[in-house]
Amino acid sequence: METQRIEYSRSTMTEIIIGNGILKEFSVRLSRLTSARRCAVITNETVAKWYLEPLKEELANRGFSALEIIIPDGEKYKNFETVISVLSELSKNQIDRDCVILGLGGGVICDITGFAASIYKRGITLALVPTSLLAMVDASFGGKNGVNTSEGKNLAGTFYQPALTCVDVSFLLSLPLSQLSYGVVECIKHGLIGDSAYYKFLCNNISEIRARQLDILQRVVRRSVYIKKSFISKDELDKGVRAHLNFGHTFGHALESAGGYIRLNHCEAVGLGMLMAIKTSAALGILKEDYSEQLKIVLRELELPISLPTEISVNSILAYIAQDKKRNEKGLAFVLPVSPGKTLIQHIKSDDLEKIVTIATQI
């Protein structure tokens, strides 16, 4: 018998540019990624009305011809059917491997575009232009992408890094307050897992953020990008420390799924998920500093829920948690808080899940 081994090297890098009114600079940097001057822009009906033409104009100034692929708006369209329709448009319009696929929009667009780019012709250059605060600090970099199935959220996906991400904070001036609040929840999560001073800064500047003070918003984006970068640069493929970024998400994804992706927005669910994680941590004797009341105050300021919808039951949460992709032979991995700025990973066995979920829902 003979054994041969192949060692692969994986070298990827994402360049993130952050600023105010930077689409021109984005198009300049994009032109350096490829000699091809054809690209595809994937966006949704809502974002297209605001930002598609300004983006296409800047792309045209650098010689790019852009194919528009406009998909319906909403989490319920983050599925295989949408991805297949995108792949069909790319193929019919002869988008080649030396072209670039651009995602212009929020988290759903970033996920769908990243997934499509990763599997179309076995990988094509990806660039993202996030238009929501949530996408700016989360979905537009880090490489996680995917789609939902009838069994749960993000159960199919890949790791595929964008070559270039453009974070233009001026887009936030047109963002509805509810969408701005959703992004702040993700930023709060970053503070709670890695920087207690940043968490306090957010708590003290909610009014300025909601007033869309761009200097404050740019500071927020910069810090959240830095914190997330500190986790993912050490663990690109989510085998270790990156798991801390799932704080609030194990419960949150189950709540989203139980509500049919209609009853709760992603960040409404994550906000509740963080409160549930605090409750769980206290019950297990892990929590050293209970900040749940302060977090509830901030969520109220953001006009977000602090209690579970009555129609979502313990059994429905359990049904979706059972499908969570973070389950292994040790049990289901939960990110639980110790104190502001510090979390740990705790595995909970299947036999204990019903008890834990019952306790967690009593927020």
Side-chain angles (χ1 to χ4, degrees):
M1 184 184 75
E2 177 179 320
T3 300
Q4 296 193 25
R5 294 178 180 173
I6 305 174
E7 292 187 9
Y8 297 100
S9 62
R10 180 184 173 97
S11 178
T12 56
M13 182 187 75
T14 299
E15 185 174 54
I16 305 171
I17 57 173
I18 305 170
N20 181 357
I22 58 172
L23 282 183
K24 180 178 180 179
E25 177 62 22
F26 168 71
S27 64
V28 170
R29 298 198 187 198
L30 191 70
S31 68
R32 298 172 186 160
L33 291 179
T34 176
S35 58
R37 285 299 178 263
R38 294 190 67 226
C39 64
V41 180
I42 302 171
T43 188
N44 64 40
E45 298 155 340
T46 305
V47 173
K49 295 174 184 176
W50 286 89
Y51 300 119
L52 182 55
E53 288 307 316
L55 175 60
K56 285 180 61 182
E57 182 179 340
E58 292 296 345
L59 291 172
N61 289 340
R62 302 302 301 181
F64 283 99
S65 171
L67 166 68
E68 301 173 17
I69 302 178
I70 301 176
I71 64 176
D73 188 6
E75 181 80 22
K76 65 180 180 179
Y77 297 106
K78 199 175 98 169
N79 53 39
F80 278 113
E81 288 77 11
T82 301
V83 172
I84 289 169
S85 71
V86 168
L87 297 178
S88 178
E89 287 298 311
L90 295 173
S91 182
K92 283 192 299 185
N93 288 276
Q94 298 181 327
I95 297 297
D96 299 320
R97 288 189 69 183
D98 60 350
C99 299
V100 180
I101 296 181
L102 307 180
L104 172 68
V108 171
I109 288 294
C110 290
D111 273 7
I112 288 174
T113 305
F115 190 41
S118 73
I119 61 177
Y120 180 67
K121 298 191 175 181
R122 296 194 176 95
I124 186 170
T125 301
L126 170 67
L128 297 173
V129 184
T131 58
S132 69
L133 179 57
L134 175 57
M136 290 176 182
V137 299
D138 186 35
S140 64
F141 66 102
K144 279 188 178 182
N145 59 70
V147 295
N148 306 329
T149 72
S150 59
E151 285 73 32
K153 185 175 172 70
N154 293 335
L155 290 185
T158 61
F159 287 93
Y160 196 72
Q161 302 295 348
L164 179 63
T165 293
C166 170
V167 178
D168 191 330
V169 295
S170 68
F171 291 170
L172 300 177
L173 293 174
S174 62
L175 198 68
L177 276 176
S178 59
Q179 293 291 326
L180 194 64
S181 294
Y182 298 154
V184 177
V185 171
E186 190 71 16
C187 298
I188 287 170
K189 182 202 76 176
H190 290 149
L192 290 175
I193 67 172
D195 187 344
S196 61
Y198 177 52
Y199 169 62
K200 292 175 183 176
F201 173 82
L202 292 167
C203 292
N204 293 332
N205 285 275
I206 294 297
S207 297
E208 290 80 1
I209 291 169
R210 284 171 61 83
R212 298 185 181 86
Q213 292 187 15
L214 290 185
D215 58 332
I216 295 293
L217 286 168
Q218 188 161 330
R219 287 179 63 185
V220 166
V221 170
R222 182 190 308 120
R223 190 59 189 167
S224 272
V225 168
Y226 180 85
I227 292 169
K228 181 176 178 181
K229 182 177 72 171
S230 71
F231 286 94
I232 63 178
S233 62
K234 300 171 187 172
D235 180 25
E236 180 188 2
L237 300 182
D238 203 10
K239 303 291 187 182
V241 69
R242 183 172 181 160
H244 289 265
L245 290 164
N246 288 318
F247 179 46
H249 283 62
T250 301
F251 288 122
H253 284 169
L255 293 174
E256 268 189 281
S257 299
Y261 306 111
I262 296 172
R263 182 62 180 84
L264 291 169
N265 171 277
H266 172 68
C267 284
E268 290 176 326
V270 169
L272 293 170
M274 289 192 289
L275 291 173
M276 293 171 74
I278 295 171
K279 195 78 173 180
T280 301
S281 184
L284 295 176
I286 294 169
L287 191 67
K288 302 299 182 186
E289 182 181 341
D290 188 345
Y291 52 85
S292 57
E293 291 306 313
Q294 183 188 38
L295 181 55
K296 285 180 181 179
I297 290 170
V298 175
L299 292 175
R300 283 195 202 99
E301 285 187 76
L302 294 170
E303 300 180 19
L304 298 176
I306 59 170
S307 60
L308 301 186
T310 56
E311 65 269 29
I312 295 181
S313 66
V314 169
N315 285 339
S316 64
I317 296 171
L318 281 168
Y320 285 102
I321 277 185
Q323 300 293 329
D324 195 285
K325 56 186 176 292
K326 296 182 289 297
R327 179 189 294 273
N328 59 30
E329 70 278 359
K330 296 178 183 177
L332 182 58
F334 284 81
V335 182
L336 299 180
V338 178
S339 59
K342 185 177 181 181
T343 52
L344 56 73
I345 311 298
Q346 179 76 22
H347 286 87
I348 297 176
K349 295 190 177 300
S350 299
D351 292 345
D352 298 324
L353 276 178
E354 184 174 358
K355 177 183 176 182
I356 289 297
V357 173
T358 301
I359 292 170
T361 56
Q362 298 168 12
I363 55 178

